[in-house]
Amino acid sequence: MTCLPIVLVWTCCMSLAVTRAYYVFRVTDTARATYLNLMNEERKKLRLEPLSWSTFYMDRANTYDSMCDNHVGYSPPADKYGQILFRSKTKYSTYNGELAKAAVEHWLTEKNYLDPPFYRCTIRTTSRYTHRCGHYAQILNREASQVGCGEMQCKKNIRVVVCGFDKQLSQTESKKPGS
């Protein structure tokens, strides 16, 4: 049995790698297909080109262990790459794409908070929640062509998904996706 370095994590031919206070799961072929299929189905509705999988963005996503330590006030690195995040205390399976499906379906619910006349993300506050749609808008970013997602488990059984994109959504984006 040989050990292979993956990003900053050492794994010995297992699907779970242990480092510090979190675990990085290898994204299975089933999970990869789930991410791409669900995102591309939504993009197809707006006649956008499909996303392709990128191991670069998957590996990059797996390095954000700081999300396990302190999610409050977390903001993605200020660079040209787009990034979206999902956190859950539910023990979704990582092997059959269940965690991937839960993450993407959650992001797609943000469609309800998109301001249709201008296709801007608006912040809407209800009695208990502040609703945003930046994750949904990033999935539909017409400039993006690649995505890669990483999955990890933090302390207290919190599951985290980070998806990285080759293009960051412009904060001044106000055109209808696909136009």
Side-chain angles (χ1 to χ4, degrees):
M1 184 181 297
T2 58
C3 294
L4 304 171
I6 300 203
V7 187
L8 300 174
V9 179
W10 286 90
T11 180
C12 295
C13 306
M14 303 180 329
S15 48
L16 188 63
V18 181
T19 180
R20 286 198 259 164
Y22 71 100
Y23 304 100
V24 174
F25 297 101
R26 280 192 202 176
V27 176
T28 64
D29 290 340
T30 302
R32 184 178 309 141
T34 302
Y35 286 115
L36 284 174
N37 290 341
L38 291 175
M39 289 182 189
N40 285 332
E41 282 175 20
E42 194 68 20
R43 289 175 66 88
K44 186 177 180 179
K45 293 175 187 176
L46 294 170
R47 297 187 180 113
L48 295 171
E49 292 294 318
L51 296 168
S52 61
W53 189 259
S54 167
T55 55
F56 172 80
Y57 297 109
M58 177 186 70
D59 291 344
R60 189 173 190 271
N62 280 331
T63 64
Y64 292 116
D65 62 318
S66 62
M67 290 177 298
C68 285
D69 300 329
N70 181 18
H71 175 61
V72 178
Y74 171 80
S75 59
D79 58 24
K80 64 182 180 178
Y81 306 114
Q83 179 180 295
I84 55 180
L85 169 73
F86 172 78
R87 290 172 55 96
S88 175
K89 289 185 179 180
T90 304
K91 285 189 170 186
Y92 294 109
S93 170
T94 59
Y95 303 104
N96 63 8
E98 188 178 59
L99 180 59
K101 182 178 182 199
V104 177
E105 286 180 347
H106 175 76
W107 294 326
L108 296 181
T109 64
E110 295 178 3
K111 177 188 221 175
N112 301 325
Y113 304 104
L114 195 66
D115 185 16
F118 302 105
Y119 286 87
R120 289 187 191 135
C121 286
T122 56
I123 298 172
R124 297 192 183 148
T125 304
T126 61
S127 60
R128 293 182 61 197
Y129 302 103
T130 299
H131 302 281
R132 303 171 191 271
C133 60
H135 303 96
Y136 178 75
Q138 179 63 58
I139 291 170
L140 298 181
N141 180 359
R142 66 179 163 274
E143 301 296 322
S145 63
Q146 295 182 328
V147 64
C149 301
E151 301 174 343
M152 61 190 81
Q153 178 175 320
C154 306
K155 295 180 207 174
K156 301 177 185 173
N157 291 321
I158 295 172
R159 300 278 170 116
V160 174
V161 172
V162 180
C163 290
F165 295 80
D166 59 334
K167 300 288 184 198
Q168 186 176 42
L169 181 68
S170 167
Q171 298 303 311
T172 59
E173 183 84 35
S174 62
K175 294 181 182 176
K176 179 178 179 179
S179 61

